PDB file of all heavy atoms in Angstrom:
ATOM      1  N   HIS Y1159      10.289   2.585 -24.425  1.00 95.00           N
ATOM      2  CA  HIS Y1159      10.396   1.369 -25.232  1.00 95.00           C
ATOM      3  C   HIS Y1159       9.988   0.088 -24.513  1.00 95.00           C
ATOM      4  O   HIS Y1159      10.041  -0.983 -25.098  1.00 95.00           O
ATOM      5  CB  HIS Y1159      11.829   1.241 -25.759  1.00 95.00           C
ATOM      6  CG  HIS Y1159      12.242   2.403 -26.603  1.00 95.00           C
ATOM      7  ND1 HIS Y1159      11.618   2.711 -27.797  1.00 95.00           N
ATOM      8  CD2 HIS Y1159      13.187   3.352 -26.420  1.00 95.00           C
ATOM      9  CE1 HIS Y1159      12.174   3.800 -28.314  1.00 95.00           C
ATOM     10  NE2 HIS Y1159      13.118   4.207 -27.496  1.00 95.00           N
ATOM     11  N   PHE Y1160       9.601   0.167 -23.247  1.00 96.00           N
ATOM     12  CA  PHE Y1160       9.071  -1.004 -22.558  1.00 96.00           C
ATOM     13  C   PHE Y1160       8.248  -0.553 -21.360  1.00 96.00           C
ATOM     14  O   PHE Y1160       8.387   0.572 -20.871  1.00 96.00           O
ATOM     15  CB  PHE Y1160      10.191  -1.961 -22.116  1.00 96.00           C
ATOM     16  CG  PHE Y1160      11.082  -1.430 -21.023  1.00 96.00           C
ATOM     17  CD1 PHE Y1160      10.829  -1.723 -19.682  1.00 96.00           C
ATOM     18  CD2 PHE Y1160      12.173  -0.624 -21.329  1.00 96.00           C
ATOM     19  CE1 PHE Y1160      11.645  -1.236 -18.679  1.00 96.00           C
ATOM     20  CE2 PHE Y1160      12.990  -0.121 -20.324  1.00 96.00           C
ATOM     21  CZ  PHE Y1160      12.731  -0.432 -18.999  1.00 96.00           C
ATOM     22  N   THR Y1161       7.377  -1.436 -20.901  1.00 96.00           N
ATOM     23  CA  THR Y1161       6.563  -1.150 -19.721  1.00 96.00           C
ATOM     24  C   THR Y1161       7.284  -1.683 -18.494  1.00 96.00           C
ATOM     25  O   THR Y1161       7.553  -2.884 -18.409  1.00 96.00           O
ATOM     26  CB  THR Y1161       5.187  -1.834 -19.833  1.00 96.00           C
ATOM     27  OG1 THR Y1161       4.509  -1.331 -20.991  1.00 96.00           O
ATOM     28  CG2 THR Y1161       4.352  -1.552 -18.594  1.00 96.00           C
ATOM     29  N   PRO Y1162       7.645  -0.825 -17.546  1.00 97.00           N
ATOM     30  CA  PRO Y1162       8.420  -1.286 -16.381  1.00 97.00           C
ATOM     31  C   PRO Y1162       7.610  -2.243 -15.507  1.00 97.00           C
ATOM     32  O   PRO Y1162       6.403  -2.089 -15.336  1.00 97.00           O
ATOM     33  CB  PRO Y1162       8.742   0.012 -15.641  1.00 97.00           C
ATOM     34  CG  PRO Y1162       7.696   0.985 -16.078  1.00 97.00           C
ATOM     35  CD  PRO Y1162       7.359   0.619 -17.489  1.00 97.00           C
ATOM     36  N   LYS Y1163       8.304  -3.220 -14.957  1.00 96.00           N
ATOM     37  CA  LYS Y1163       7.671  -4.184 -14.052  1.00 96.00           C
ATOM     38  C   LYS Y1163       7.787  -3.741 -12.599  1.00 96.00           C
ATOM     39  O   LYS Y1163       7.177  -4.346 -11.717  1.00 96.00           O
ATOM     40  CB  LYS Y1163       8.311  -5.561 -14.252  1.00 96.00           C
ATOM     41  CG  LYS Y1163       8.044  -6.157 -15.629  1.00 96.00           C
ATOM     42  CD  LYS Y1163       8.606  -7.549 -15.759  1.00 96.00           C
ATOM     43  CE  LYS Y1163      10.118  -7.549 -15.852  1.00 96.00           C
ATOM     44  NZ  LYS Y1163      10.666  -8.915 -16.106  1.00 96.00           N
ATOM     45  N   LEU Y1164       8.575  -2.709 -12.355  1.00 97.00           N
ATOM     46  CA  LEU Y1164       8.703  -2.113 -11.025  1.00 97.00           C
ATOM     47  C   LEU Y1164       8.356  -0.636 -11.130  1.00 97.00           C
ATOM     48  O   LEU Y1164       8.302  -0.072 -12.228  1.00 97.00           O
ATOM     49  CB  LEU Y1164      10.125  -2.287 -10.480  1.00 97.00           C
ATOM     50  CG  LEU Y1164      10.640  -3.713 -10.317  1.00 97.00           C
ATOM     51  CD1 LEU Y1164      12.113  -3.696  -9.886  1.00 97.00           C
ATOM     52  CD2 LEU Y1164       9.808  -4.487  -9.310  1.00 97.00           C
ATOM     53  N   ASN Y1165       8.161   0.002 -10.005  1.00 97.00           N
ATOM     54  CA  ASN Y1165       7.810   1.420  -9.964  1.00 97.00           C
ATOM     55  C   ASN Y1165       8.937   2.267 -10.537  1.00 97.00           C
ATOM     56  O   ASN Y1165      10.058   2.247 -10.025  1.00 97.00           O
ATOM     57  CB  ASN Y1165       7.530   1.816  -8.508  1.00 97.00           C
ATOM     58  CG  ASN Y1165       7.009   3.230  -8.373  1.00 97.00           C
ATOM     59  OD1 ASN Y1165       6.838   3.946  -9.351  1.00 97.00           O
ATOM     60  ND2 ASN Y1165       6.759   3.635  -7.137  1.00 97.00           N
ATOM     61  N   PRO Y1166       8.687   3.059 -11.612  1.00 98.00           N
ATOM     62  CA  PRO Y1166       9.741   3.924 -12.155  1.00 98.00           C
ATOM     63  C   PRO Y1166      10.029   5.146 -11.287  1.00 98.00           C
ATOM     64  O   PRO Y1166      10.997   5.864 -11.549  1.00 98.00           O
ATOM     65  CB  PRO Y1166       9.177   4.338 -13.521  1.00 98.00           C
ATOM     66  CG  PRO Y1166       7.699   4.250 -13.362  1.00 98.00           C
ATOM     67  CD  PRO Y1166       7.447   3.115 -12.407  1.00 98.00           C
ATOM     68  N   PHE Y1167       9.211   5.368 -10.255  1.00 98.00           N
ATOM     69  CA  PHE Y1167       9.467   6.446  -9.298  1.00 98.00           C
ATOM     70  C   PHE Y1167      10.248   5.843  -8.124  1.00 98.00           C
ATOM     71  O   PHE Y1167       9.666   5.349  -7.162  1.00 98.00           O
ATOM     72  CB  PHE Y1167       8.158   7.068  -8.820  1.00 98.00           C
ATOM     73  CG  PHE Y1167       7.507   7.969  -9.827  1.00 98.00           C
ATOM     74  CD1 PHE Y1167       6.837   7.437 -10.925  1.00 98.00           C
ATOM     75  CD2 PHE Y1167       7.574   9.352  -9.695  1.00 98.00           C
ATOM     76  CE1 PHE Y1167       6.241   8.258 -11.864  1.00 98.00           C
ATOM     77  CE2 PHE Y1167       6.974  10.186 -10.622  1.00 98.00           C
ATOM     78  CZ  PHE Y1167       6.307   9.635 -11.724  1.00 98.00           C
ATOM     79  N   TYR Y1168      11.571   5.874  -8.214  1.00 98.00           N
ATOM     80  CA  TYR Y1168      12.420   5.294  -7.177  1.00 98.00           C
ATOM     81  C   TYR Y1168      13.526   6.276  -6.796  1.00 98.00           C
ATOM     82  O   TYR Y1168      13.838   7.211  -7.553  1.00 98.00           O
ATOM     83  CB  TYR Y1168      13.021   3.962  -7.646  1.00 98.00           C
ATOM     84  CG  TYR Y1168      13.778   4.026  -8.957  1.00 98.00           C
ATOM     85  CD1 TYR Y1168      15.132   4.375  -9.007  1.00 98.00           C
ATOM     86  CD2 TYR Y1168      13.145   3.724 -10.160  1.00 98.00           C
ATOM     87  CE1 TYR Y1168      15.822   4.428 -10.207  1.00 98.00           C
ATOM     88  CE2 TYR Y1168      13.820   3.774 -11.369  1.00 98.00           C
ATOM     89  CZ  TYR Y1168      15.160   4.122 -11.391  1.00 98.00           C
ATOM     90  OH  TYR Y1168      15.839   4.187 -12.587  1.00 98.00           O
ATOM     91  N   ILE Y1169      14.095   6.070  -5.614  1.00 98.00           N
ATOM     92  CA  ILE Y1169      15.159   6.963  -5.125  1.00 98.00           C
ATOM     93  C   ILE Y1169      16.202   6.141  -4.378  1.00 98.00           C
ATOM     94  O   ILE Y1169      16.008   4.956  -4.090  1.00 98.00           O
ATOM     95  CB  ILE Y1169      14.610   8.072  -4.194  1.00 98.00           C
ATOM     96  CG1 ILE Y1169      13.926   7.464  -2.950  1.00 98.00           C
ATOM     97  CG2 ILE Y1169      13.627   8.971  -4.934  1.00 98.00           C
ATOM     98  CD1 ILE Y1169      14.816   7.276  -1.760  1.00 98.00           C
ATOM     99  N   ALA Y1170      17.302   6.787  -4.066  1.00 97.00           N
ATOM    100  CA  ALA Y1170      18.326   6.206  -3.191  1.00 97.00           C
ATOM    101  C   ALA Y1170      18.641   7.202  -2.092  1.00 97.00           C
ATOM    102  O   ALA Y1170      18.712   8.414  -2.332  1.00 97.00           O
ATOM    103  CB  ALA Y1170      19.600   5.873  -3.973  1.00 97.00           C
ATOM    104  N   LEU Y1171      18.803   6.698  -0.872  1.00 98.00           N
ATOM    105  CA  LEU Y1171      19.240   7.495   0.271  1.00 98.00           C
ATOM    106  C   LEU Y1171      20.490   6.843   0.866  1.00 98.00           C
ATOM    107  O   LEU Y1171      20.672   5.622   0.751  1.00 98.00           O
ATOM    108  CB  LEU Y1171      18.133   7.565   1.335  1.00 98.00           C
ATOM    109  CG  LEU Y1171      16.897   8.392   0.989  1.00 98.00           C
ATOM    110  CD1 LEU Y1171      15.837   8.251   2.081  1.00 98.00           C
ATOM    111  CD2 LEU Y1171      17.253   9.865   0.787  1.00 98.00           C
ATOM    112  N   PRO Y1172      21.341   7.633   1.536  1.00 98.00           N
ATOM    113  CA  PRO Y1172      22.652   7.126   1.956  1.00 98.00           C
ATOM    114  C   PRO Y1172      22.662   6.321   3.257  1.00 98.00           C
ATOM    115  O   PRO Y1172      23.396   6.634   4.194  1.00 98.00           O
ATOM    116  CB  PRO Y1172      23.482   8.404   2.087  1.00 98.00           C
ATOM    117  CG  PRO Y1172      22.503   9.446   2.483  1.00 98.00           C
ATOM    118  CD  PRO Y1172      21.238   9.098   1.733  1.00 98.00           C
ATOM    119  N   TYR Y1173      21.826   5.277   3.314  1.00 98.00           N
ATOM    120  CA  TYR Y1173      21.882   4.389   4.470  1.00 98.00           C
ATOM    121  C   TYR Y1173      21.402   3.005   4.061  1.00 98.00           C
ATOM    122  O   TYR Y1173      20.452   2.868   3.276  1.00 98.00           O
ATOM    123  CB  TYR Y1173      21.018   4.899   5.618  1.00 98.00           C
ATOM    124  CG  TYR Y1173      21.101   4.027   6.856  1.00 98.00           C
ATOM    125  CD1 TYR Y1173      22.252   4.029   7.655  1.00 98.00           C
ATOM    126  CD2 TYR Y1173      20.054   3.183   7.206  1.00 98.00           C
ATOM    127  CE1 TYR Y1173      22.349   3.211   8.772  1.00 98.00           C
ATOM    128  CE2 TYR Y1173      20.139   2.372   8.329  1.00 98.00           C
ATOM    129  CZ  TYR Y1173      21.286   2.387   9.103  1.00 98.00           C
ATOM    130  OH  TYR Y1173      21.385   1.570  10.197  1.00 98.00           O
ATOM    131  N   ASN Y1174      22.080   1.980   4.594  1.00 97.00           N
ATOM    132  CA  ASN Y1174      21.673   0.586   4.428  1.00 97.00           C
ATOM    133  C   ASN Y1174      21.538  -0.015   5.822  1.00 97.00           C
ATOM    134  O   ASN Y1174      22.462   0.083   6.636  1.00 97.00           O
ATOM    135  CB  ASN Y1174      22.715  -0.177   3.610  1.00 97.00           C
ATOM    136  CG  ASN Y1174      22.231  -1.544   3.181  1.00 97.00           C
ATOM    137  OD1 ASN Y1174      21.233  -2.060   3.693  1.00 97.00           O
ATOM    138  ND2 ASN Y1174      22.942  -2.153   2.233  1.00 97.00           N
ATOM    139  N   ASP Y1175      20.398  -0.624   6.098  1.00 98.00           N
ATOM    140  CA  ASP Y1175      20.153  -1.150   7.438  1.00 98.00           C
ATOM    141  C   ASP Y1175      20.742  -2.531   7.668  1.00 98.00           C
ATOM    142  O   ASP Y1175      20.828  -2.983   8.811  1.00 98.00           O
ATOM    143  CB  ASP Y1175      18.655  -1.179   7.742  1.00 98.00           C
ATOM    144  CG  ASP Y1175      17.860  -2.018   6.747  1.00 98.00           C
ATOM    145  OD1 ASP Y1175      18.339  -2.191   5.604  1.00 98.00           O
ATOM    146  OD2 ASP Y1175      16.767  -2.486   7.105  1.00 98.00           O
ATOM    147  N   VAL Y1176      21.144  -3.222   6.604  1.00 96.00           N
ATOM    148  CA  VAL Y1176      21.692  -4.568   6.772  1.00 96.00           C
ATOM    149  C   VAL Y1176      23.205  -4.556   6.588  1.00 96.00           C
ATOM    150  O   VAL Y1176      23.746  -3.814   5.780  1.00 96.00           O
ATOM    151  CB  VAL Y1176      21.042  -5.574   5.806  1.00 96.00           C
ATOM    152  CG1 VAL Y1176      19.568  -5.722   6.102  1.00 96.00           C
ATOM    153  CG2 VAL Y1176      21.255  -5.160   4.355  1.00 96.00           C
ATOM    154  N   ALA Y1177      23.866  -5.410   7.373  1.00 93.00           N
ATOM    155  CA  ALA Y1177      25.323  -5.524   7.304  1.00 93.00           C
ATOM    156  C   ALA Y1177      25.736  -6.881   6.760  1.00 93.00           C
ATOM    157  O   ALA Y1177      26.899  -7.232   6.766  1.00 93.00           O
ATOM    158  CB  ALA Y1177      25.936  -5.316   8.692  1.00 93.00           C
ATOM    159  N   GLY Y1178      24.799  -7.650   6.308  1.00 84.00           N
ATOM    160  CA  GLY Y1178      25.049  -8.982   5.790  1.00 84.00           C
ATOM    161  C   GLY Y1178      23.736  -9.726   5.653  1.00 84.00           C
ATOM    162  O   GLY Y1178      22.665  -9.200   5.964  1.00 84.00           O
ATOM    163  N   TRP Y1179      23.799 -10.955   5.174  1.00 84.00           N
ATOM    164  CA  TRP Y1179      22.587 -11.725   4.947  1.00 84.00           C
ATOM    165  C   TRP Y1179      21.894 -12.129   6.247  1.00 84.00           C
ATOM    166  O   TRP Y1179      20.721 -12.489   6.234  1.00 84.00           O
ATOM    167  CB  TRP Y1179      22.905 -12.976   4.131  1.00 84.00           C
ATOM    168  CG  TRP Y1179      23.333 -12.667   2.741  1.00 84.00           C
ATOM    169  CD1 TRP Y1179      24.601 -12.766   2.231  1.00 84.00           C
ATOM    170  CD2 TRP Y1179      22.519 -12.184   1.672  1.00 84.00           C
ATOM    171  NE1 TRP Y1179      24.638 -12.380   0.908  1.00 84.00           N
ATOM    172  CE2 TRP Y1179      23.354 -12.021   0.542  1.00 84.00           C
ATOM    173  CE3 TRP Y1179      21.165 -11.878   1.550  1.00 84.00           C
ATOM    174  CZ2 TRP Y1179      22.881 -11.564  -0.686  1.00 84.00           C
ATOM    175  CZ3 TRP Y1179      20.696 -11.420   0.325  1.00 84.00           C
ATOM    176  CH2 TRP Y1179      21.540 -11.271  -0.771  1.00 84.00           C
ATOM    177  N   SER Y1180      22.612 -12.053   7.349  1.00 90.00           N
ATOM    178  CA  SER Y1180      22.035 -12.577   8.591  1.00 90.00           C
ATOM    179  C   SER Y1180      21.999 -11.568   9.728  1.00 90.00           C
ATOM    180  O   SER Y1180      21.675 -11.929  10.858  1.00 90.00           O
ATOM    181  CB  SER Y1180      22.827 -13.809   9.045  1.00 90.00           C
ATOM    182  OG  SER Y1180      24.180 -13.459   9.290  1.00 90.00           O
ATOM    183  N   ARG Y1181      22.293 -10.315   9.456  1.00 95.00           N
ATOM    184  CA  ARG Y1181      22.289  -9.356  10.567  1.00 95.00           C
ATOM    185  C   ARG Y1181      22.029  -7.933  10.074  1.00 95.00           C
ATOM    186  O   ARG Y1181      22.314  -7.589   8.925  1.00 95.00           O
ATOM    187  CB  ARG Y1181      23.606  -9.399  11.340  1.00 95.00           C
ATOM    188  CG  ARG Y1181      24.834  -9.045  10.528  1.00 95.00           C
ATOM    189  CD  ARG Y1181      26.115  -9.361  11.289  1.00 95.00           C
ATOM    190  NE  ARG Y1181      27.306  -9.067  10.501  1.00 95.00           N
ATOM    191  CZ  ARG Y1181      27.975  -7.925  10.558  1.00 95.00           C
ATOM    192  NH1 ARG Y1181      27.561  -6.965  11.384  1.00 95.00           N
ATOM    193  NH2 ARG Y1181      29.042  -7.729   9.812  1.00 95.00           N
ATOM    194  N   HIS Y1182      21.482  -7.140  10.988  1.00 97.00           N
ATOM    195  CA  HIS Y1182      21.301  -5.717  10.753  1.00 97.00           C
ATOM    196  C   HIS Y1182      22.459  -4.947  11.363  1.00 97.00           C
ATOM    197  O   HIS Y1182      23.183  -5.461  12.225  1.00 97.00           O
ATOM    198  CB  HIS Y1182      19.986  -5.232  11.369  1.00 97.00           C
ATOM    199  CG  HIS Y1182      18.767  -5.743  10.680  1.00 97.00           C
ATOM    200  ND1 HIS Y1182      18.139  -6.917  11.041  1.00 97.00           N
ATOM    201  CD2 HIS Y1182      18.044  -5.245   9.637  1.00 97.00           C
ATOM    202  CE1 HIS Y1182      17.093  -7.123  10.266  1.00 97.00           C
ATOM    203  NE2 HIS Y1182      17.002  -6.121   9.407  1.00 97.00           N
TER     204      HIS Y1182
END
Side-chain angles (χ1 to χ4, degrees):
H1159 300 297
F1160 68 94
T1161 299
K1163 294 184 288 185
L1164 300 175
N1165 186 0
F1167 285 76
Y1168 55 86
I1169 60 92
L1171 290 174
Y1173 182 73
N1174 191 345
D1175 58 336
V1176 296
W1179 293 107
S1180 61
R1181 61 191 178 94
H1182 291 90

